Amino acid sequence: MALTLTLLTSKADCDKVLDDLSDLKGELEYKQISLTRSRDNASDRASDIEATLASAQAEVDSLTAIIAVLPEGSTKVCARPSTY
């Protein structure tokens, strides 16, 4: 918002500009809070997803190790993941 001080000819003009700028400042502060909360929520969700993925990978790794030591037979065949 560019201001030309030569257009301010009275105290009322100055007060109006100050009020408008105060309103704009309030809107920008609200947007900043909203964006900060959105960022924090996204960060929390990302952390949750990473933890879920790590847990799933650990489960896959442990099951892979178990399947590897199973004796050949129907149990081992049923435990192998199917391929599509």
Side-chain angles (χ1 to χ4, degrees):
M1 172 185 233
L3 297 175
T4 303
L5 297 178
T6 57
L7 297 177
L8 301 176
T9 58
S10 68
K11 182 182 181 309
D13 290 341
C14 292
D15 289 342
K16 172 71 170 117
V17 169
L18 290 174
D19 286 344
D20 290 346
L21 290 174
S22 178
D23 291 345
L24 179 60
K25 180 184 175 192
E27 290 173 16
L28 292 173
E29 287 171 343
Y30 178 82
K31 286 181 182 180
Q32 181 181 23
I33 290 169
S34 178
L35 289 171
T36 300
R37 287 184 179 166
S38 293
R39 183 198 64 213
D40 292 345
N41 287 339
S43 178
D44 290 344
R45 284 192 310 272
S47 296
D48 290 346
I49 291 169
E50 286 177 6
T52 301
L53 286 173
S55 174
Q57 186 61 52
E59 186 175 354
V60 166
D61 293 344
S62 65
L63 291 174
T64 301
I66 291 169
I67 292 170
V69 297
L70 285 175
E72 291 300 325
S74 61
T75 304
K76 189 170 188 173
V77 170
C78 291
R80 286 189 185 128
S82 60
T83 56
Y84 295 96

